[in-house]
């Protein structure tokens, strides 16, 4: 189970992506720009999960489950909760 201190502070995500694993589940947390309309965009965090053993770049996109979170401390905590829930499910399956 992930704990908050295992995911980096918000400033880390301004320049880098974080990848990790929990048993069979791999996860990634990254900053993305989401277009809100033709002229504007907002910064968000995107959490991604997939079953290992392959890395993010080698997995077909249709096998990756994604979810958007606010680019804030709250978003990191929400992503952590989601990773924990999904990891528990994935690692329970036979």
């Amino acid at each position: 189970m992930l704990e908050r201190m295992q995911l980096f502070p918000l400033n880390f995500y301004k320049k880098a992506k974080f990848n990790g694993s929990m048993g069979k589940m791999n996860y990634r947390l990254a900053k993305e720009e989401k277009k809100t309309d033709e002229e504007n965009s907002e910064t968000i965090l995107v959490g991604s999960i997939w079953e290992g053993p392959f890395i993010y770049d080698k997995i077909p996109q249709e096998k990756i489950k994604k979810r958007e979170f606010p680019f804030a401390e709250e978003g990191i905590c929400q992503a952590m909760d989601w990773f924990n829930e999904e990891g528990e499910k994935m690692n329970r399956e036979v």
Side-chain angles (χ1 to χ4, degrees):
M1 182 166 238
L2 276 176
E3 294 182 19
R4 175 59 190 97
M5 67 183 190
Q6 292 173 282
L7 298 175
F8 290 102
L10 187 63
N11 281 339
F12 172 87
Y13 298 99
K14 290 179 180 178
K15 295 186 178 190
K17 300 166 180 73
F18 182 76
N19 294 287
S21 64
M22 293 173 28
K24 296 191 295 185
M25 185 187 84
N26 291 336
Y27 60 90
R28 177 181 186 206
L29 191 58
K31 175 185 96 164
E32 287 188 17
E33 294 298 320
K34 178 181 176 181
K35 279 201 161 270
T36 53
D37 56 40
E38 286 186 30
E39 298 174 10
N40 300 306
S41 65
E42 68 175 314
T43 303
I44 59 171
L45 286 169
V46 176
S48 305
I49 60 171
W50 66 97
E51 189 170 337
F54 300 109
I55 63 171
Y56 183 85
D57 294 333
K58 299 296 179 184
I59 272 292
Q61 287 296 302
E62 62 270 7
K63 292 191 175 197
I64 298 174
K65 192 181 211 182
K66 294 184 178 189
R67 193 176 214 184
E68 296 178 358
F69 303 97
F71 191 78
E73 176 64 27
E74 174 188 342
I76 295 173
C77 292
Q78 290 172 359
M80 179 191 69
D81 290 342
W82 183 60
F83 292 153
N84 284 330
E85 290 169 19
E86 294 297 319
E88 189 176 308
K89 288 180 204 172
M90 193 178 291
N91 288 309
R92 236 185 315 176
E93 295 172 1
V94 178

